[in-house]
């Protein structure tokens, strides 16, 4: 059994790791940390876990966790992860980092996040599994952001094919992406019956999209996020301006070839959030605007699964040489 | 008092006309028709109107309504309006048509809607009041579609300014736009916690946007609608590719000049649906993507008010020479 | 024109007063206070009011408001109102108090709210207008709590008729009743797709129900509130155990007689929240359990209108000798 | 591996059986029937199942299913099940019936459902597992209704203890209980921001509650259901009038003793729907009204899991002598 630690277990991505790992056949959850709830039984703070987990939240040193575990998920805000990761690695323990700290080139990171990077290193895998599968044995994987996961998966095959001039990602996210703390955005009377655009041209996740897509081919990339009245899910509408004429069959062939053997990408119709809720799938569909140079590709993910903790477990499977599907082939919660 | 008839009073736009007109100081509702509910008290079919209206739904000839009224709102599906309008007009009664029948050039209409136009006529006012205010005395006004209202208002000032290369409208609509009849789309388990793209590149309303914006200046126009879990409201995110460099002050000046004296357009921050619910306002905001040729303009309307019945009453006010605000300056229902 | 002041204008009941009073034909809003937003334009803090109100929030002495106004609505938390009211009254200015401070007998108040009452007075009208209409000229009215309004209106006719042994009020409220500040309860992921019972047997509003119903006749009263995923509205299911056999016709007759001339109570079918949203109506319906001593009466109100600010305006109308409907006969926002 | 057939696989309970059984380690889904979608791939009709199931919906004789399977779940409307069950049983195949056909005494059934019972038999297990665990080897289990499951579990320990005079069940259900077909009730604009009482004193499920609770001890039973804007879940507020004085410790002891060893009943705090979504748990909590004879017990279940398909699988586990938890110990989808 793989012994797993979760640093920052009381936020939504930490709780989602617990949910997924409890049913993973090769994993034992060995430690879950939380400063705020130190020494409290996890199931007392989160009654939905009663009967399923007997651990307490711990508030102990990174070292003390690292010596007990084979791999640690750092589900903490950015800047905190880069303080912990070197300590963990020196124990020979592996890390899947769910924060933003290792996703970007350190120089870009410092510019985008406005803080110095205390652990700049090159060669960290950007763990978007369908595009950069982490090699077996990798000791540090940067788990992609939620928006970049859905956005890059929607556009990558076409960008790789060299037929894209410009992509405008218009994304709609459930509010769990904003975290477990109540805010004006998550206040029910503000969000119900509403949709809120935010960081309309300047969300930090844009830089992950630019970085990863330019590896494939040049294209102009823009991104506008919105919060919708949904707990989970990100639907991304990728408005793609094409460099050259293609028909829908050609587009289909490009997607089929790119994702043919990927178990978590499903190409079928126009997707929506209902079909991926609680699952690790990324559903992708598209339609060409007749007589136009515009193609619309739509992707749907659960932001807490494929957009965070599910993909983190997929990365864990890869670095331990397991089938990437292990513990993750659950049907979505429909309806 | 202006005597008003409503043809098709049992759908959402008909009911919304009743809601608005009950508080209009210059109007008396003289007749409301419904085949399905003929002879039933309106307040028995719609208990929320109990104590507010004593009329019955009627199922009588157009003639018999026209002789009793000064103006008729045709709140019926397309193809039905063009059968009624000539009959109404010949009685000297005016018409605000909420259907699609008179919005497009008849040739385009026949192509888009796939039916012959039985009453092709030129010179019908496309009643987007801030751009084409109906002249006093006009006898027929085509009330714009819900999506085109929000979309055109967002883009028109910039298109008129001649600085736009391309506009991609990504719209998110409440489900009341799909009507009062239960369908798979409006089925709660299908829509809650979801967002559904539909007619991704080929919605009929695109043609209204193209027709009206090309009057101002050439630009490539695209449109993708989505249904969100909200009863009311349309938020349109207009991704605008600019022909030339502008800064945010210049954009602001363009909007201020275009809408300076328009009471129902509000330019202030990034809008959302909560601030327009139940009101006739169109809120518009924008942000420029730094170092880019992309400008994002966002508009928010209530699809049943500014996107349908409110604008219809605004058109009625104009054709009768009233202040266009009459009966319409109600605060939104916040929260 | 009646000059109105609103103390505590930045919460939901304050904003709702603004919404309602802006369309009241006999009122001019003269002053709105808010410490937090002092000197800020109301429409800058609440953009949905842009174009509708030009006032700034003030943070000035009670005296300085009282000398400028004929009546003041105190829309403040309990304990704050009892500090302001005596000051207001000494200027000859009237008060409608939306807090809990004057609703209960002072001794009961001290027990229930756990604080001494600094302004104990007898004879304050409990302004549940259909039961205790405030007399013209009254200078202080205690505006009832939201839950008590819907609950008492549902049960009062039967209690008055002397046929009730016990009433169990099971109420379901929209979350705006919990206020404008984000909390764990109002956090969208906690409330959407959920219903939360709270203060299951011990909500303070129970004491208003007991106090007012015992004036009519003895009966055992219980109350359990729940928060539902809705912004507005309170639906109360009153499970009534009867002392004696009645049939549905007799029950109907009791309700008809009690509410026959009351414009804001509508007796018709089984009510729901959709039919009262944004309006001052209280809809009431009932059903008898065949062969049983149980009668179920259901009432629906908008908690911010009939349950707070609408009823406050109705009270204002009464104390100024206006028709109680003035400014309040608006259709609900349906759908 | 147990070979399983699902008759009526295209409704919500059928789909939920598929969801649960796909992760059951001892089960192979051998056949799923649907007249409407005969010969269509399940994953084409329900894209959320793409990649998870390769079967087609079948429309074949009961015999042809029974010979291929060890147990059949009849997820069909009432009256249909009683036509199929005898045919299935004669093949030695077992049945878990999710319809109402075998839940009630046949004479009561005929009265409540208004149709003759074509297969009246005595001794059918009413499979509320915590109260009537089906014996290993049982060939027919009547799976309880969704409302009765939550209601009976809330009240049974106290009724069994002989201290209950009366129980009023006030239940609030997600709309998936009304099925997959769009109706006026499930129409989003009718349900969002609303709560709808229905069959206020006369829902058929009342008779299951009466039948099962009177087995424990006499008590007066009433039931009022409501639909809330939630896809899943039933929260039942049981207002219990006690025969004798008890304190909260005594109540706790009664519950602890009754449910001490039951893995799917959790006694902890006041429950809500969020903590059981997608899981087979029934969470129960209570509070005594001080100085009163009223106790409020609240239970929360997922109507499609513990209220239908999860409990059906729990029953299957029992009749095959498996641990009742097999395949069912999944954490809920939180948030």
């Amino acid at each position: 059994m793989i012994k797993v630690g979760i640093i920052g277990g009381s936020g939504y991505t930490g709780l989602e790791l617990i949910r997924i790992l409890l049913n993973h056949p090769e994993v034992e959850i060995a430690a879950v940390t939380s400063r705020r709830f130190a020494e409290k039984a996890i199931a007392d703070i989160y009654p939905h876990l009663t009967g399923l987990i007997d651990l307490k939240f711990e508030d102990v040193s990174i070292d003390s966790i690292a010596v007990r575990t084979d791999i640690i998920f750092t589900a903490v805000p950015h800047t905190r992860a880069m303080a912990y990761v070197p300590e963990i690695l020196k124990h020979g323990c592996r890390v899947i980092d769910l924060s933003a700290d290792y996703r970007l080139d350190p120089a870009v990171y410092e510019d985008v996040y406005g803080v110095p990077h205390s652990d700049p290193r090159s060669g960290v895998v950007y763990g978007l599994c369908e595009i950069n599968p982490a090699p077996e044995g990798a000791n540090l994987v940067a788990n992609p952001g939620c928006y970049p996961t859905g956005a890059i998966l929607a556009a990558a095959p076409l960008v790789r094919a060299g037929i894209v001039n410009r992509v405008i990602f218009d994304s709609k996210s459930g509010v769990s992406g904003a975290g477990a703390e109540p805010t004006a955005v998550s206040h029910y009377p503000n969000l119900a019956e509403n949709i809120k655009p935010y960081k309309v041209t300047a969300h930090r996740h844009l830089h992950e999209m630019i970085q990863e897509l330019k590896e494939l081919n040049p294209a102009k990339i823009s991104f506008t996020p919105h919060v919708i009245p949904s707990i989970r899910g990100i639907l991304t509408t990728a408005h793609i301006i094409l460099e050259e004429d293609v028909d829908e069959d050609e587009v289909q062939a490009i997607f089929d070839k790119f994702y043919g053997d990927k178990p978590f990408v499903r190409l079928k119709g126009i997707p929506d959030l209902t079909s991926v809720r609680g699952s690790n799938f990324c559903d992708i569909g598209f339609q060409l605007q007749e007589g136009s140079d515009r193609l619309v590709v739509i992707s749907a993910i659960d932001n807490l699964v494929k957009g965070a903790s599910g993909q983190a477990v997929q990365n864990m499977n890869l670095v331990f040489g397991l089938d990437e599907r292990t513990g993750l082939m659950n049907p979505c919660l429909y309806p």
Side-chain angles (χ1 to χ4, degrees), chain A:
Chain A
M1 298 292 269
I2 302 165
K3 291 196 169 145
V4 165
I6 300 171
I7 309 286
S10 67
Y12 283 154
T13 55
L15 288 167
E16 190 72 354
L17 284 166
I18 294 173
R19 182 180 78 85
I20 294 168
L21 292 172
L22 281 173
N23 280 335
H24 192 292
E26 308 290 339
V27 159
E28 176 197 345
I29 301 176
V32 183
T33 78
S34 164
R35 283 188 189 165
R36 186 170 164 198
F37 299 123
E39 294 309 305
K40 300 261 172 64
I42 294 173
D44 284 348
I45 303 301
Y46 292 103
H48 71 280
L49 291 172
T50 301
L52 297 163
I53 190 165
D54 283 328
L55 295 177
K56 290 182 176 177
F57 285 118
E58 304 182 40
D59 178 18
V60 297
S61 72
I62 295 298
D63 287 343
S64 94
I65 303 289
V67 297
R68 282 186 277 154
T69 55
D70 302 308
I71 187 165
I72 286 177
F73 294 90
T74 43
V76 294
H78 72 274
T79 75
R80 296 255 298 279
M82 63 190 174
Y84 299 156
V85 165
E87 287 188 68
I88 299 168
L89 293 177
K90 78 182 178 211
H91 288 276
C93 185
R94 290 166 181 172
V95 181
I96 311 292
D97 177 29
L98 284 84
S99 88
D101 283 356
Y102 295 93
R103 293 176 193 158
L104 295 173
D105 175 90
V108 175
Y109 177 89
E110 296 193 346
D111 189 41
V112 170
Y113 287 86
V115 290
H117 202 301
S118 63
D119 182 39
R121 51 179 83 208
S122 58
V124 180
V125 180
Y126 183 85
L128 187 42
C129 311
E130 286 70 23
I131 294 180
N132 304 312
E136 188 174 341
N139 58 8
L140 173 58
V141 178
N143 207 56
C146 54
Y147 286 120
T149 294
I152 296 169
L153 288 175
L158 300 160
V159 173
R160 168 80 63 84
I163 60 174
V164 172
N165 174 269
R166 177 193 292 269
V167 188
I168 295 169
F169 293 113
D170 187 297
S171 293
K172 298 88 175 173
S173 176
V175 73
S176 59
E181 287 305 307
T183 64
V185 168
S186 75
H187 187 53
Y188 190 92
N190 291 348
L191 183 56
E193 301 291 305
N194 198 4
I195 171 170
K196 282 193 84 74
Y198 71 108
K199 297 180 188 167
V200 168
T201 59
H203 192 286
R204 286 160 168 176
H205 280 180
L206 171 62
H207 301 277
E208 291 180 46
M209 301 172 194
I210 291 170
Q211 170 181 288
E212 296 304 309
L213 288 171
K214 87 177 173 205
E215 291 292 306
L216 305 177
N217 258 319
K220 280 176 256 180
I221 307 296
S222 301
F223 170 52
T224 299
H226 308 70
V227 183
I228 59 170
S230 178
I231 301 171
R232 288 169 174 251
I234 294 177
L235 187 113
T236 294
T237 309
H239 302 277
I240 296 181
I241 311 301
L242 297 167
E243 286 281 2
E244 56 184 73
D245 272 7
V246 286
D247 61 27
E248 293 204 342
D249 288 347
E250 291 168 306
V251 174
Q252 187 69 54
I254 288 168
F255 274 99
D256 286 345
K257 186 170 169 212
F258 198 92
Y259 289 126
D261 61 340
K262 302 298 182 190
F264 292 115
V265 173
R266 302 189 295 194
L267 305 165
K268 198 167 171 183
I270 296 298
D272 66 14
L273 300 182
T274 302
S275 289
V276 296
R277 183 164 52 227
S279 82
N280 198 51
F281 292 104
C282 176
D283 287 359
I284 299 177
F286 65 87
Q287 201 171 308
L288 203 56
Q289 182 171 355
E290 217 179 313
S292 153
D293 58 354
R294 190 181 70 126
L295 173 69
V296 178
V297 182
I298 292 168
S299 71
I301 59 171
D302 184 314
N303 61 309
L304 294 180
V305 191
K306 184 61 181 170
S309 306
Q311 184 151 257
V313 173
Q314 194 181 353
N315 275 310
M316 181 201 74
N317 288 340
L318 290 169
V319 303
F320 281 98
L322 302 172
D323 184 317
E324 65 185 321
R325 294 171 296 185
T326 313
L328 288 168
M329 287 303 279
N330 304 302
C332 81
L333 194 71
Y334 176 97

